[in-house]
PDB file of all heavy atoms in Angstrom:
ATOM      1  N   SER A  28      52.116 -94.485  -7.525  1.00  0.00           N
ATOM      2  CA  SER A  28      51.110 -95.565  -7.425  1.00  0.00           C
ATOM      3  C   SER A  28      49.848 -94.952  -6.878  1.00  0.00           C
ATOM      4  O   SER A  28      49.852 -93.783  -6.416  1.00  0.00           O
ATOM      5  CB  SER A  28      51.626 -96.651  -6.495  1.00  0.00           C
ATOM      6  OG  SER A  28      51.687 -96.164  -5.146  1.00  0.00           O
ATOM      7  N   SER A  29      48.755 -95.665  -6.857  1.00  0.00           N
ATOM      8  CA  SER A  29      47.518 -95.093  -6.311  1.00  0.00           C
ATOM      9  C   SER A  29      47.672 -94.736  -4.842  1.00  0.00           C
ATOM     10  O   SER A  29      47.148 -93.758  -4.378  1.00  0.00           O
ATOM     11  CB  SER A  29      46.335 -96.053  -6.552  1.00  0.00           C
ATOM     12  OG  SER A  29      46.578 -97.295  -5.957  1.00  0.00           O
ATOM     13  N   GLU A  30      48.449 -95.586  -4.102  1.00  0.00           N
ATOM     14  CA  GLU A  30      48.677 -95.288  -2.691  1.00  0.00           C
ATOM     15  C   GLU A  30      49.545 -94.043  -2.526  1.00  0.00           C
ATOM     16  O   GLU A  30      49.291 -93.191  -1.654  1.00  0.00           O
ATOM     17  CB  GLU A  30      49.341 -96.469  -1.980  1.00  0.00           C
ATOM     18  CG  GLU A  30      48.478 -97.720  -1.910  1.00  0.00           C
ATOM     19  CD  GLU A  30      48.523 -98.569  -3.196  1.00  0.00           C
ATOM     20  OE1 GLU A  30      49.414 -98.345  -4.038  1.00  0.00           O
ATOM     21  OE2 GLU A  30      47.632 -99.418  -3.348  1.00  0.00           O
ATOM     22  N   GLU A  31      50.603 -93.936  -3.343  1.00  0.00           N
ATOM     23  CA  GLU A  31      51.453 -92.758  -3.271  1.00  0.00           C
ATOM     24  C   GLU A  31      50.710 -91.490  -3.660  1.00  0.00           C
ATOM     25  O   GLU A  31      50.895 -90.428  -3.055  1.00  0.00           O
ATOM     26  CB  GLU A  31      52.683 -92.952  -4.169  1.00  0.00           C
ATOM     27  CG  GLU A  31      53.666 -93.985  -3.655  1.00  0.00           C
ATOM     28  CD  GLU A  31      54.694 -94.373  -4.704  1.00  0.00           C
ATOM     29  OE1 GLU A  31      54.386 -94.357  -5.920  1.00  0.00           O
ATOM     30  OE2 GLU A  31      55.819 -94.744  -4.268  1.00  0.00           O
ATOM     31  N   SER A  32      49.843 -91.604  -4.654  1.00  0.00           N
ATOM     32  CA  SER A  32      49.035 -90.488  -5.082  1.00  0.00           C
ATOM     33  C   SER A  32      48.129 -90.015  -3.955  1.00  0.00           C
ATOM     34  O   SER A  32      48.050 -88.803  -3.666  1.00  0.00           O
ATOM     35  CB  SER A  32      48.202 -90.887  -6.324  1.00  0.00           C
ATOM     36  OG  SER A  32      47.322 -89.823  -6.686  1.00  0.00           O
ATOM     37  N   ALA A  33      47.443 -90.933  -3.322  1.00  0.00           N
ATOM     38  CA  ALA A  33      46.529 -90.576  -2.203  1.00  0.00           C
ATOM     39  C   ALA A  33      47.321 -89.929  -1.050  1.00  0.00           C
ATOM     40  O   ALA A  33      46.876 -88.912  -0.497  1.00  0.00           O
ATOM     41  CB  ALA A  33      45.775 -91.818  -1.723  1.00  0.00           C
ATOM     42  N   ALA A  34      48.484 -90.481  -0.716  1.00  0.00           N
ATOM     43  CA  ALA A  34      49.283 -89.927   0.344  1.00  0.00           C
ATOM     44  C   ALA A  34      49.815 -88.540   0.010  1.00  0.00           C
ATOM     45  O   ALA A  34      49.824 -87.630   0.836  1.00  0.00           O
ATOM     46  CB  ALA A  34      50.452 -90.869   0.676  1.00  0.00           C
ATOM     47  N   PHE A  35      50.232 -88.352  -1.265  1.00  0.00           N
ATOM     48  CA  PHE A  35      50.764 -87.049  -1.706  1.00  0.00           C
ATOM     49  C   PHE A  35      49.639 -86.025  -1.695  1.00  0.00           C
ATOM     50  O   PHE A  35      49.838 -84.884  -1.235  1.00  0.00           O
ATOM     51  CB  PHE A  35      51.380 -87.187  -3.076  1.00  0.00           C
ATOM     52  CG  PHE A  35      52.120 -85.952  -3.541  1.00  0.00           C
ATOM     53  CD1 PHE A  35      53.266 -85.550  -2.906  1.00  0.00           C
ATOM     54  CD2 PHE A  35      51.662 -85.215  -4.611  1.00  0.00           C
ATOM     55  CE1 PHE A  35      53.961 -84.391  -3.310  1.00  0.00           C
ATOM     56  CE2 PHE A  35      52.327 -84.106  -5.053  1.00  0.00           C
ATOM     57  CZ  PHE A  35      53.476 -83.701  -4.408  1.00  0.00           C
ATOM     58  N   ARG A  36      48.461 -86.360  -2.218  1.00  0.00           N
ATOM     59  CA  ARG A  36      47.340 -85.433  -2.195  1.00  0.00           C
ATOM     60  C   ARG A  36      46.959 -85.056  -0.759  1.00  0.00           C
ATOM     61  O   ARG A  36      46.643 -83.911  -0.478  1.00  0.00           O
ATOM     62  CB  ARG A  36      46.168 -85.984  -2.968  1.00  0.00           C
ATOM     63  CG  ARG A  36      46.368 -85.916  -4.472  1.00  0.00           C
ATOM     64  CD  ARG A  36      45.180 -86.405  -5.282  1.00  0.00           C
ATOM     65  NE  ARG A  36      45.169 -87.869  -5.281  1.00  0.00           N
ATOM     66  CZ  ARG A  36      44.196 -88.616  -4.811  1.00  0.00           C
ATOM     67  NH1 ARG A  36      43.117 -88.088  -4.297  1.00  0.00           N
ATOM     68  NH2 ARG A  36      44.298 -89.935  -4.848  1.00  0.00           N
ATOM     69  N   HIS A  37      47.011 -86.027   0.144  1.00  0.00           N
ATOM     70  CA  HIS A  37      46.705 -85.743   1.534  1.00  0.00           C
ATOM     71  C   HIS A  37      47.746 -84.801   2.116  1.00  0.00           C
ATOM     72  O   HIS A  37      47.415 -83.849   2.836  1.00  0.00           O
ATOM     73  CB  HIS A  37      46.649 -87.069   2.362  1.00  0.00           C
ATOM     74  CG  HIS A  37      46.391 -86.832   3.812  1.00  0.00           C
ATOM     75  ND1 HIS A  37      45.184 -86.452   4.318  1.00  0.00           N
ATOM     76  CD2 HIS A  37      47.238 -86.886   4.855  1.00  0.00           C
ATOM     77  CE1 HIS A  37      45.262 -86.302   5.637  1.00  0.00           C
ATOM     78  NE2 HIS A  37      46.533 -86.540   5.967  1.00  0.00           N
ATOM     79  N   ASP A  38      49.034 -85.039   1.826  1.00  0.00           N
ATOM     80  CA  ASP A  38      50.101 -84.157   2.306  1.00  0.00           C
ATOM     81  C   ASP A  38      49.875 -82.728   1.813  1.00  0.00           C
ATOM     82  O   ASP A  38      49.955 -81.787   2.591  1.00  0.00           O
ATOM     83  CB  ASP A  38      51.461 -84.671   1.871  1.00  0.00           C
ATOM     84  CG  ASP A  38      52.598 -83.788   2.305  1.00  0.00           C
ATOM     85  OD1 ASP A  38      52.656 -83.421   3.496  1.00  0.00           O
ATOM     86  OD2 ASP A  38      53.448 -83.436   1.447  1.00  0.00           O
ATOM     87  N   LEU A  39      49.585 -82.569   0.525  1.00  0.00           N
ATOM     88  CA  LEU A  39      49.331 -81.225   0.001  1.00  0.00           C
ATOM     89  C   LEU A  39      48.121 -80.580   0.683  1.00  0.00           C
ATOM     90  O   LEU A  39      48.167 -79.412   0.986  1.00  0.00           O
ATOM     91  CB  LEU A  39      49.102 -81.277  -1.524  1.00  0.00           C
ATOM     92  CG  LEU A  39      50.335 -81.548  -2.388  1.00  0.00           C
ATOM     93  CD1 LEU A  39      49.936 -81.672  -3.834  1.00  0.00           C
ATOM     94  CD2 LEU A  39      51.419 -80.509  -2.192  1.00  0.00           C
ATOM     95  N   SER A  40      47.076 -81.345   0.911  1.00  0.00           N
ATOM     96  CA  SER A  40      45.885 -80.757   1.557  1.00  0.00           C
ATOM     97  C   SER A  40      46.211 -80.292   2.963  1.00  0.00           C
ATOM     98  O   SER A  40      45.632 -79.302   3.427  1.00  0.00           O
ATOM     99  CB  SER A  40      44.700 -81.727   1.533  1.00  0.00           C
ATOM    100  OG  SER A  40      44.894 -82.779   2.465  1.00  0.00           O
ATOM    101  N   GLN A  41      47.089 -80.961   3.664  1.00  0.00           N
ATOM    102  CA  GLN A  41      47.493 -80.556   5.009  1.00  0.00           C
ATOM    103  C   GLN A  41      48.338 -79.279   4.996  1.00  0.00           C
ATOM    104  O   GLN A  41      48.388 -78.547   5.992  1.00  0.00           O
ATOM    105  CB  GLN A  41      48.263 -81.711   5.710  1.00  0.00           C
ATOM    106  CG  GLN A  41      47.445 -82.946   5.926  1.00  0.00           C
ATOM    107  CD  GLN A  41      46.194 -82.657   6.771  1.00  0.00           C
ATOM    108  OE1 GLN A  41      46.264 -82.239   7.883  1.00  0.00           O
ATOM    109  NE2 GLN A  41      45.035 -82.914   6.164  1.00  0.00           N
ATOM    110  N   ARG A  42      49.014 -79.038   3.920  1.00  0.00           N
ATOM    111  CA  ARG A  42      49.864 -77.827   3.763  1.00  0.00           C
ATOM    112  C   ARG A  42      49.065 -76.617   3.307  1.00  0.00           C
ATOM    113  O   ARG A  42      49.565 -75.490   3.386  1.00  0.00           O
ATOM    114  CB  ARG A  42      50.924 -78.118   2.710  1.00  0.00           C
ATOM    115  CG  ARG A  42      51.912 -79.186   3.095  1.00  0.00           C
ATOM    116  CD  ARG A  42      52.816 -79.534   1.887  1.00  0.00           C
ATOM    117  NE  ARG A  42      53.762 -80.547   2.188  1.00  0.00           N
ATOM    118  CZ  ARG A  42      54.959 -80.355   2.746  1.00  0.00           C
ATOM    119  NH1 ARG A  42      55.339 -79.137   3.058  1.00  0.00           N
ATOM    120  NH2 ARG A  42      55.763 -81.344   2.975  1.00  0.00           N
ATOM    121  N   ALA A  43      47.855 -76.802   2.838  1.00  0.00           N
ATOM    122  CA  ALA A  43      47.060 -75.751   2.195  1.00  0.00           C
ATOM    123  C   ALA A  43      46.382 -74.815   3.191  1.00  0.00           C
ATOM    124  O   ALA A  43      45.147 -74.697   3.193  1.00  0.00           O
ATOM    125  CB  ALA A  43      46.038 -76.371   1.220  1.00  0.00           C
ATOM    126  N   LYS A  44      47.149 -74.192   4.009  1.00  0.00           N
ATOM    127  CA  LYS A  44      46.627 -73.221   4.963  1.00  0.00           C
ATOM    128  C   LYS A  44      47.373 -71.920   4.755  1.00  0.00           C
ATOM    129  O   LYS A  44      48.577 -71.822   4.971  1.00  0.00           O
ATOM    130  CB  LYS A  44      46.834 -73.740   6.406  1.00  0.00           C
ATOM    131  CG  LYS A  44      46.035 -74.995   6.690  1.00  0.00           C
ATOM    132  CD  LYS A  44      46.488 -75.613   8.018  1.00  0.00           C
ATOM    133  CE  LYS A  44      45.750 -76.871   8.324  1.00  0.00           C
ATOM    134  NZ  LYS A  44      46.044 -77.982   7.397  1.00  0.00           N
ATOM    135  N   VAL A  45      46.627 -70.899   4.314  1.00  0.00           N
ATOM    136  CA  VAL A  45      47.293 -69.611   4.103  1.00  0.00           C
ATOM    137  C   VAL A  45      47.453 -68.902   5.467  1.00  0.00           C
ATOM    138  O   VAL A  45      46.573 -69.001   6.318  1.00  0.00           O
ATOM    139  CB  VAL A  45      46.550 -68.707   3.089  1.00  0.00           C
ATOM    140  CG1 VAL A  45      46.587 -69.342   1.719  1.00  0.00           C
ATOM    141  CG2 VAL A  45      45.147 -68.402   3.506  1.00  0.00           C
ATOM    142  N   PRO A  46      48.547 -68.234   5.646  1.00  0.00           N
ATOM    143  CA  PRO A  46      48.809 -67.570   6.933  1.00  0.00           C
ATOM    144  C   PRO A  46      47.858 -66.403   7.175  1.00  0.00           C
ATOM    145  O   PRO A  46      47.374 -65.753   6.230  1.00  0.00           O
ATOM    146  CB  PRO A  46      50.248 -67.081   6.793  1.00  0.00           C
ATOM    147  CG  PRO A  46      50.746 -67.477   5.469  1.00  0.00           C
ATOM    148  CD  PRO A  46      49.649 -68.108   4.702  1.00  0.00           C
ATOM    149  N   ASN A  47      47.604 -66.161   8.452  1.00  0.00           N
ATOM    150  CA  ASN A  47      46.812 -64.992   8.833  1.00  0.00           C
ATOM    151  C   ASN A  47      47.524 -63.736   8.327  1.00  0.00           C
ATOM    152  O   ASN A  47      48.747 -63.638   8.357  1.00  0.00           O
ATOM    153  CB  ASN A  47      46.669 -64.876  10.336  1.00  0.00           C
ATOM    154  CG  ASN A  47      45.813 -65.992  10.887  1.00  0.00           C
ATOM    155  OD1 ASN A  47      44.903 -66.504  10.245  1.00  0.00           O
ATOM    156  ND2 ASN A  47      46.056 -66.348  12.138  1.00  0.00           N
ATOM    157  N   GLY A  48      46.767 -62.795   7.832  1.00  0.00           N
ATOM    158  CA  GLY A  48      47.293 -61.562   7.354  1.00  0.00           C
ATOM    159  C   GLY A  48      47.277 -61.466   5.847  1.00  0.00           C
ATOM    160  O   GLY A  48      47.387 -60.359   5.304  1.00  0.00           O
ATOM    161  N   LEU A  49      47.162 -62.569   5.141  1.00  0.00           N
ATOM    162  CA  LEU A  49      47.174 -62.520   3.669  1.00  0.00           C
ATOM    163  C   LEU A  49      46.027 -61.681   3.147  1.00  0.00           C
ATOM    164  O   LEU A  49      46.219 -60.810   2.274  1.00  0.00           O
ATOM    165  CB  LEU A  49      47.115 -63.933   3.080  1.00  0.00           C
ATOM    166  CG  LEU A  49      47.017 -63.998   1.560  1.00  0.00           C
ATOM    167  CD1 LEU A  49      48.258 -63.452   0.893  1.00  0.00           C
ATOM    168  CD2 LEU A  49      46.766 -65.400   1.080  1.00  0.00           C
ATOM    169  N   MET A  50      44.828 -61.895   3.655  1.00  0.00           N
ATOM    170  CA  MET A  50      43.660 -61.117   3.143  1.00  0.00           C
ATOM    171  C   MET A  50      43.834 -59.642   3.403  1.00  0.00           C
ATOM    172  O   MET A  50      43.440 -58.804   2.585  1.00  0.00           O
ATOM    173  CB  MET A  50      42.361 -61.650   3.769  1.00  0.00           C
ATOM    174  CG  MET A  50      41.818 -62.890   3.082  1.00  0.00           C
ATOM    175  SD  MET A  50      41.376 -62.643   1.371  1.00  0.00           S
ATOM    176  CE  MET A  50      39.833 -61.768   1.538  1.00  0.00           C
ATOM    177  N   ASP A  51      44.403 -59.270   4.547  1.00  0.00           N
ATOM    178  CA  ASP A  51      44.626 -57.847   4.828  1.00  0.00           C
ATOM    179  C   ASP A  51      45.531 -57.225   3.760  1.00  0.00           C
ATOM    180  O   ASP A  51      45.288 -56.131   3.319  1.00  0.00           O
ATOM    181  CB  ASP A  51      45.243 -57.661   6.229  1.00  0.00           C
ATOM    182  CG  ASP A  51      44.298 -58.079   7.359  1.00  0.00           C
ATOM    183  OD1 ASP A  51      43.091 -58.029   7.155  1.00  0.00           O
ATOM    184  OD2 ASP A  51      44.810 -58.426   8.407  1.00  0.00           O
ATOM    185  N   VAL A  52      46.570 -57.935   3.387  1.00  0.00           N
ATOM    186  CA  VAL A  52      47.487 -57.445   2.364  1.00  0.00           C
ATOM    187  C   VAL A  52      46.760 -57.314   1.037  1.00  0.00           C
ATOM    188  O   VAL A  52      46.847 -56.296   0.351  1.00  0.00           O
ATOM    189  CB  VAL A  52      48.737 -58.332   2.249  1.00  0.00           C
ATOM    190  CG1 VAL A  52      49.584 -57.967   1.048  1.00  0.00           C
ATOM    191  CG2 VAL A  52      49.559 -58.286   3.542  1.00  0.00           C
ATOM    192  N   LEU A  53      46.012 -58.354   0.641  1.00  0.00           N
ATOM    193  CA  LEU A  53      45.291 -58.310  -0.619  1.00  0.00           C
ATOM    194  C   LEU A  53      44.283 -57.173  -0.661  1.00  0.00           C
ATOM    195  O   LEU A  53      44.164 -56.478  -1.678  1.00  0.00           O
ATOM    196  CB  LEU A  53      44.591 -59.645  -0.901  1.00  0.00           C
ATOM    197  CG  LEU A  53      45.497 -60.870  -1.131  1.00  0.00           C
ATOM    198  CD1 LEU A  53      44.663 -62.127  -1.351  1.00  0.00           C
ATOM    199  CD2 LEU A  53      46.466 -60.636  -2.252  1.00  0.00           C
ATOM    200  N   ARG A  54      43.592 -56.966   0.424  1.00  0.00           N
ATOM    201  CA  ARG A  54      42.599 -55.887   0.485  1.00  0.00           C
ATOM    202  C   ARG A  54      43.265 -54.509   0.376  1.00  0.00           C
ATOM    203  O   ARG A  54      42.631 -53.535  -0.050  1.00  0.00           O
ATOM    204  CB  ARG A  54      41.823 -55.956   1.801  1.00  0.00           C
ATOM    205  CG  ARG A  54      40.831 -57.060   1.854  1.00  0.00           C
ATOM    206  CD  ARG A  54      40.033 -57.036   3.171  1.00  0.00           C
ATOM    207  NE  ARG A  54      39.127 -58.148   3.209  1.00  0.00           N
ATOM    208  CZ  ARG A  54      39.154 -59.124   4.128  1.00  0.00           C
ATOM    209  NH1 ARG A  54      40.066 -59.105   5.091  1.00  0.00           N
ATOM    210  NH2 ARG A  54      38.288 -60.090   4.089  1.00  0.00           N
ATOM    211  N   SER A  55      44.528 -54.391   0.728  1.00  0.00           N
ATOM    212  CA  SER A  55      45.207 -53.093   0.682  1.00  0.00           C
ATOM    213  C   SER A  55      45.716 -52.746  -0.730  1.00  0.00           C
ATOM    214  O   SER A  55      46.133 -51.608  -0.949  1.00  0.00           O
ATOM    215  CB  SER A  55      46.367 -53.089   1.661  1.00  0.00           C
ATOM    216  OG  SER A  55      47.461 -53.863   1.173  1.00  0.00           O
ATOM    217  N   LEU A  56      45.691 -53.688  -1.649  1.00  0.00           N
ATOM    218  CA  LEU A  56      46.234 -53.443  -2.983  1.00  0.00           C
ATOM    219  C   LEU A  56      45.249 -52.689  -3.869  1.00  0.00           C
ATOM    220  O   LEU A  56      44.038 -52.874  -3.735  1.00  0.00           O
ATOM    221  CB  LEU A  56      46.596 -54.775  -3.644  1.00  0.00           C
ATOM    222  CG  LEU A  56      47.684 -55.583  -2.932  1.00  0.00           C
ATOM    223  CD1 LEU A  56      47.868 -56.928  -3.612  1.00  0.00           C
ATOM    224  CD2 LEU A  56      48.986 -54.839  -2.871  1.00  0.00           C
ATOM    225  N   PRO A  57      45.741 -51.868  -4.810  1.00  0.00           N
ATOM    226  CA  PRO A  57      44.851 -51.167  -5.708  1.00  0.00           C
ATOM    227  C   PRO A  57      44.141 -52.162  -6.642  1.00  0.00           C
ATOM    228  O   PRO A  57      44.786 -53.015  -7.230  1.00  0.00           O
ATOM    229  CB  PRO A  57      45.733 -50.252  -6.490  1.00  0.00           C
ATOM    230  CG  PRO A  57      47.131 -50.715  -6.271  1.00  0.00           C
ATOM    231  CD  PRO A  57      47.140 -51.543  -5.042  1.00  0.00           C
ATOM    232  N   LYS A  58      42.823 -52.092  -6.699  1.00  0.00           N
ATOM    233  CA  LYS A  58      42.029 -53.054  -7.486  1.00  0.00           C
ATOM    234  C   LYS A  58      42.414 -53.063  -8.964  1.00  0.00           C
ATOM    235  O   LYS A  58      42.276 -54.071  -9.620  1.00  0.00           O
ATOM    236  CB  LYS A  58      40.534 -52.768  -7.351  1.00  0.00           C
ATOM    237  CG  LYS A  58      40.024 -52.774  -5.938  1.00  0.00           C
ATOM    238  CD  LYS A  58      40.107 -54.121  -5.295  1.00  0.00           C
ATOM    239  CE  LYS A  58      39.523 -54.170  -3.930  1.00  0.00           C
ATOM    240  NZ  LYS A  58      40.429 -54.083  -2.825  1.00  0.00           N
ATOM    241  N   ASP A  59      42.911 -51.951  -9.487  1.00  0.00           N
ATOM    242  CA  ASP A  59      43.291 -51.908 -10.893  1.00  0.00           C
ATOM    243  C   ASP A  59      44.785 -52.146 -11.096  1.00  0.00           C
ATOM    244  O   ASP A  59      45.296 -51.947 -12.194  1.00  0.00           O
ATOM    245  CB  ASP A  59      42.880 -50.566 -11.505  1.00  0.00           C
ATOM    246  CG  ASP A  59      43.539 -49.381 -10.849  1.00  0.00           C
ATOM    247  OD1 ASP A  59      44.138 -49.505  -9.765  1.00  0.00           O
ATOM    248  OD2 ASP A  59      43.441 -48.263 -11.414  1.00  0.00           O
ATOM    249  N   GLY A  60      45.481 -52.602 -10.054  1.00  0.00           N
ATOM    250  CA  GLY A  60      46.924 -52.927 -10.206  1.00  0.00           C
ATOM    251  C   GLY A  60      47.094 -54.107 -11.152  1.00  0.00           C
ATOM    252  O   GLY A  60      46.197 -54.918 -11.333  1.00  0.00           O
ATOM    253  N   HIS A  61      48.256 -54.205 -11.743  1.00  0.00           N
ATOM    254  CA  HIS A  61      48.548 -55.289 -12.688  1.00  0.00           C
ATOM    255  C   HIS A  61      48.429 -56.639 -11.986  1.00  0.00           C
ATOM    256  O   HIS A  61      48.916 -56.786 -10.847  1.00  0.00           O
ATOM    257  CB  HIS A  61      49.981 -55.115 -13.246  1.00  0.00           C
ATOM    258  CG  HIS A  61      50.258 -55.957 -14.422  1.00  0.00           C
ATOM    259  ND1 HIS A  61      50.465 -57.336 -14.331  1.00  0.00           N
ATOM    260  CD2 HIS A  61      50.373 -55.664 -15.736  1.00  0.00           C
ATOM    261  CE1 HIS A  61      50.681 -57.816 -15.546  1.00  0.00           C
ATOM    262  NE2 HIS A  61      50.634 -56.823 -16.401  1.00  0.00           N
ATOM    263  N   PRO A  62      47.775 -57.618 -12.607  1.00  0.00           N
ATOM    264  CA  PRO A  62      47.617 -58.927 -11.956  1.00  0.00           C
ATOM    265  C   PRO A  62      48.922 -59.588 -11.548  1.00  0.00           C
ATOM    266  O   PRO A  62      48.980 -60.230 -10.512  1.00  0.00           O
ATOM    267  CB  PRO A  62      46.900 -59.765 -13.025  1.00  0.00           C
ATOM    268  CG  PRO A  62      46.247 -58.783 -13.925  1.00  0.00           C
ATOM    269  CD  PRO A  62      47.090 -57.550 -13.897  1.00  0.00           C
TER     270      PRO A  62
END
Side-chain angles (χ1 to χ4, degrees):
S28 67
S29 59
E30 294 82 15
E31 290 167 329
S32 175
F35 188 67
R36 285 183 282 120
H37 177 74
D38 178 49
L39 288 176
S40 74
Q41 296 302 300
R42 296 170 180 275
K44 295 169 182 65
V45 295
N47 291 333
L49 176 65
M50 279 297 284
D51 293 334
V52 171
L53 294 178
R54 286 182 182 119
S55 74
L56 298 175
K58 302 296 184 260
D59 61 347
H61 193 286

